[in-house]
């Protein structure tokens, strides 16, 4: 079937045409294809740009929390979320989750000290973090780790097949100036 089609096109008057009409037909076929390629490249570039901005903002929040010596509270978390939105310059809905995880060497599990969110995500539970041996580095007994997670919806500027996605970052860091970061509900 395909061989017949190729042979028929090779021997047709269309294939032997040497004036300018074929170039116009080629342009009609190629211009939309080239336009689609350019739009797709722009969409992919925008997705990587947004992901990069979200990752850098998440590292900033993790570093910010790691330097705290006073207990964090709801106002601090609200301010951190506002900072995240400002750094990402993203109009989409976002959320941050800050958790303090401690390693129990005797049971070889992680335990949750506390987990708080600002946005649409829910706080972590102790059962969720128990098996995070693949997600977190090797730790000594009772060492604590700050885990900052950020979530944001991403909508591509053009419909080229990328669709709706969620940008999720998982950042961990050790407390810098205190053995742990505390939470205060006051």
């Amino acid at each position: 079937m395909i061989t017949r089609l190729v042979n028929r096109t090779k021997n047709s008057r269309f294939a032997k045409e040497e004036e300018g009409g074929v170039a116009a037909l080629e342009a009609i076929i190629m211009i939309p294809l080239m336009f689609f390629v350019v739009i797709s490249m722009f969409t992919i570039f925008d997705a990587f740009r947004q992901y990069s901005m979200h990752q850098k903002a998440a590292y900033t929040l993790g570093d910010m929390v790691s330097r705290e010596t006073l207990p964090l509270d709801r106002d601090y978390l609200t301010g951190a979320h506002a900072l995240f939105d400002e750094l990402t310059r993203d109009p989409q809905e976002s959320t941050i989750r800050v958790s303090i995880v401690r390693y129990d060497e005797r049971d070889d599990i992680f335990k949750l000290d506390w987990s708080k969110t600002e946005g649409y995500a829910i706080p972590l539970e102790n059962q969720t973090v128990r098996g995070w041996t693949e997600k977190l580095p090797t730790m000594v007994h009772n060492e604590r780790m700050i885990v900052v997670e950020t979530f944001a919806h991403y909508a591509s500027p053009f419909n080229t097949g990328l669709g709706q996605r969620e940008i999720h970052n998982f950042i961990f860091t050790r407390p810098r100036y205190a053995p742990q970061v505390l939470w205060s509900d006051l």
Side-chain angles (χ1 to χ4, degrees):
M1 170 88 180
I2 294 178
T3 312
R4 240 180 11 183
L5 186 61
V6 169
N7 287 336
R8 190 176 282 180
T9 346
K10 280 183 185 176
N11 298 329
S12 70
R13 194 178 65 136
F14 172 73
K16 295 176 183 175
E17 182 70 35
E18 293 182 6
E19 292 180 15
V22 177
L25 187 60
E26 289 174 354
I28 289 172
I29 294 170
M30 291 304 293
I31 287 177
L33 182 63
M34 289 175 23
F35 184 71
F36 180 76
V37 168
V38 168
I39 294 298
S40 295
M41 287 175 25
F42 176 79
T43 301
I44 291 170
F45 171 78
D46 183 64
F48 278 112
R49 182 185 62 83
Q50 280 290 54
Y51 180 79
S52 174
M53 287 173 60
H54 283 249
Q55 189 175 35
K56 290 173 187 173
Y59 274 110
T60 300
L61 293 183
D63 186 55
M64 186 174 79
V65 171
S66 74
R67 295 171 187 272
E68 290 300 322
T69 55
L70 298 174
L72 305 183
D73 58 4
R74 181 57 53 192
D75 291 337
Y76 186 93
L77 205 58
T78 303
H81 187 235
L83 176 65
F84 178 78
D85 286 342
E86 187 67 29
L87 290 173
T88 58
R89 293 182 246 142
D90 189 3
Q92 305 294 327
E93 184 181 11
S94 67
T95 188
I96 63 171
R97 176 168 47 205
V98 178
S99 307
I100 305 298
V101 178
R102 150 177 84 81
Y103 180 65
D104 183 0
E105 189 175 31
R106 284 177 288 221
D107 297 331
D108 193 29
I109 59 172
F110 291 97
K111 294 182 178 178
L112 187 67
D113 282 353
W114 58 266
S115 179
K116 302 295 178 183
T117 64
E118 183 73 26
Y120 60 85
I122 59 172
L124 291 174
E125 294 179 359
N126 212 13
Q127 285 297 104
T128 311
V129 302
R130 284 182 178 251
W132 275 8
T133 54
E134 297 294 321
K135 289 186 171 189
L136 295 174
T138 305
M139 297 166 56
V140 296
H141 183 64
N142 278 338
E143 183 180 8
R144 285 170 170 79
M145 189 70 65
I146 302 164
V147 177
V148 176
E149 294 175 273
T150 62
F151 307 87
H153 297 295
Y154 174 74
S156 60
F158 299 103
N159 186 12
T160 58
L162 197 56
Q164 296 277 350
R165 304 219 179 244
E166 183 174 67
I167 300 173
H168 173 238
N169 287 296
F170 183 91
I171 307 299
F172 56 85
T173 186
R174 289 182 168 89
R176 295 180 191 257
Y177 302 127
Q180 68 181 19
V181 178
L182 301 173
W183 178 263
S184 171
D185 283 322
L186 300 177

